[in-house]
Amino acid sequence: MKITNIELIEVDVPYIAPIRNVGHADWEHTIARVHTDEGLIGLGEIWQPCRAVQPQADGLIGKDPLSMALERASEPWQCALYDIVAQAKGVPVWRLMGDKVRDEVPVAYWSPHLPPEETAREAERAAALGFTVHKLKAHPADIVRQAELIAAATAGVDYAIRVDPNCGFKYPTTAVRLAKELTPYNIECFEDPVEKIDVNYAWYSLLRHKTDIPQALHLIDPYAVLCAVKADAVDCFNLSGNVAPVKRSAAIAETAGCPIWLQTGGLCLGIQAAFSAHLQATLTNDLRPCDELPFVRENDLIGGSLEFASGHFVVPRGNGLGIALDDAAVAHYRTQ
């Protein structure tokens, strides 16, 4: 089998209104269609413009997907190559990654920093859709008010808040103070609450002993995961990266008894979310709701073929990724 052609399609799919209204930053998205001489087509996506990935695409022409190292490939090629190889073998993508241990993977809702009243309305809507965790891009000035209004809007529902200030609490003193003020509310964890240049494990270890709120780190490198465990600095992990480091990091976290969730695509479209669902289906960890978020855009570009039910993605059942690109939607949002 040989790769004969690669289509790169740049798209601009707007966020849904609450996010779009606050002007949340976005970047170009590129959809990749990788064609082979056997008629198989693999799908991938990446948060980069076409011009950034075109040289890599040119270098793949003529190569055999069946002889390539899948786990270490970069995006969008990793997803597309897994899709092709799984189709060629007549199996779902997850079968190439390991044994399937779950048919559904939990998903967190997500909000950028919005006015507290707007965030509460989003939480109420998300809870009605079956979400049980809401990840907030938190600011120290109003996170307590955010939590108060979310609790009121979701009263009677098991609905937790994942507080992610992107290190914006800055110092342990601020994080400890806010943890005390957030005691009445259902806080799942603090994710990257304080500065982590070169990952300041001592501060995270201090927070674990000074607060009752679990501490999470968002990491890519398995060695960093190991160091965090050795430093007694973390309760759970948000893991990113391609398949090889995610699997290694997940194994370290599981051995240490630390729950994980994945963010391989984040504010992605449906292709990358489906790929992540296949990978998560094979992880034996204590798996928390993931940060794969195609539902925060007005279209996932796959026509809803990644099924969502009660706060979970249903792992696709067909061969390959088990999804289909919505050509009409792609044409509508195409920029070049």
Side-chain angles (χ1 to χ4, degrees):
M1 184 191 301
K2 302 293 182 185
I3 295 173
T4 56
N5 180 44
I6 297 178
E7 295 177 77
L8 296 177
I9 307 165
E10 198 169 298
V11 296
D12 180 9
V13 183
Y15 292 117
I16 58 176
I19 303 171
R20 186 169 67 243
N21 293 346
V22 297
H24 188 74
D26 201 6
W27 296 270
E28 298 95 334
H29 255 97
T30 294
I31 303 296
R33 270 183 167 141
V34 180
H35 296 255
T36 70
D37 59 356
E38 295 187 8
L40 300 178
I41 300 173
L43 298 175
E45 68 166 271
I46 191 168
W47 253 25
Q48 291 184 20
C50 286
R51 64 182 180 276
V53 294
Q54 186 66 63
Q56 300 169 37
D58 295 340
L60 291 175
I61 301 300
K63 291 191 174 181
D64 179 4
L66 295 174
S67 66
M68 298 176 71
L70 301 183
E71 285 194 351
R72 296 189 297 277
S74 59
E75 293 301 342
W77 321 118
Q78 182 172 69
C79 179
L81 293 171
Y82 265 102
D83 191 14
I84 290 169
V85 174
Q87 289 179 63
K89 294 182 177 294
V91 297
V93 160
W94 62 260
R95 180 73 277 177
L96 303 181
M97 299 174 172
D99 295 334
K100 186 168 72 165
V101 297
R102 55 178 60 84
D103 295 321
E104 299 178 335
V105 298
V107 190
Y109 199 71
W110 179 90
S111 292
H113 185 253
L114 298 167
E117 295 77 13
E118 185 71 58
T119 304
R121 285 192 288 272
E122 284 293 283
E124 185 176 21
R125 186 172 73 87
L129 292 171
F131 290 96
T132 59
V133 172
H134 194 140
K135 177 167 173 170
L136 296 181
K137 291 299 181 182
H139 285 194
D142 63 4
I143 181 55
V144 177
R145 180 61 173 164
Q146 297 266 15
E148 178 188 8
L149 294 185
I150 287 174
T154 59
V157 178
D158 184 11
Y159 195 78
I161 302 170
R162 182 178 294 165
V163 177
D164 178 15
N166 287 115
C167 306
F169 295 167
K170 199 168 184 180
Y171 299 114
T173 50
T174 302
V176 169
R177 174 179 60 81
L178 290 172
K180 290 178 180 177
E181 294 179 26
L182 288 165
T183 298
Y185 308 110
N186 187 8
I187 307 299
E188 181 205 44
C189 66
F190 279 178
E191 178 185 344
D192 293 351
V194 297
E195 296 283 3
K196 64 170 192 175
I197 297 173
D198 297 326
V199 187
N200 192 339
Y201 298 117
W203 280 7
Y204 282 84
S205 181
L206 177 66
L207 288 176
R208 290 192 69 220
H209 292 90
K210 290 288 188 180
T211 78
D212 293 326
I213 293 177
Q215 303 299 314
L217 279 165
H218 185 178
L219 298 174
I220 298 174
D221 180 11
Y223 179 70
V225 172
L226 179 61
C227 289
V229 169
K230 290 176 66 177
D232 193 30
V234 71
D235 297 282
C236 45
F237 291 100
N238 178 3
L239 301 179
S240 292
N242 60 16
V243 171
V246 163
K247 289 174 70 174
R248 288 197 294 271
S249 294
I252 295 167
E254 184 174 30
T255 302
C258 295
I260 66 167
W261 69 90
L262 295 197
Q263 185 181 321
T264 64
L267 297 166
C268 59
L269 304 169
I271 298 169
Q272 188 64 30
F275 184 68
S276 179
H278 281 279
L279 175 55
Q280 291 180 74
T282 68
L283 299 177
T284 56
N285 302 68
D286 178 357
L287 201 62
R288 301 292 170 85
C290 68
D291 289 349
E292 315 297 6
L293 311 167
F295 46 83
V296 301
R297 296 180 183 275
E298 63 181 38
N299 197 297
D300 64 6
L301 298 191
I302 60 170
S305 52
L306 175 61
E307 184 182 347
F308 176 84
S310 300
H312 291 71
F313 290 137
V314 178
V315 180
R317 301 175 183 85
N319 293 340
L321 286 173
I323 59 171
L325 204 58
D326 183 340
D327 291 331
V330 170
H332 177 76
Y333 293 104
R334 184 170 189 162
T335 59
Q336 69 175 58

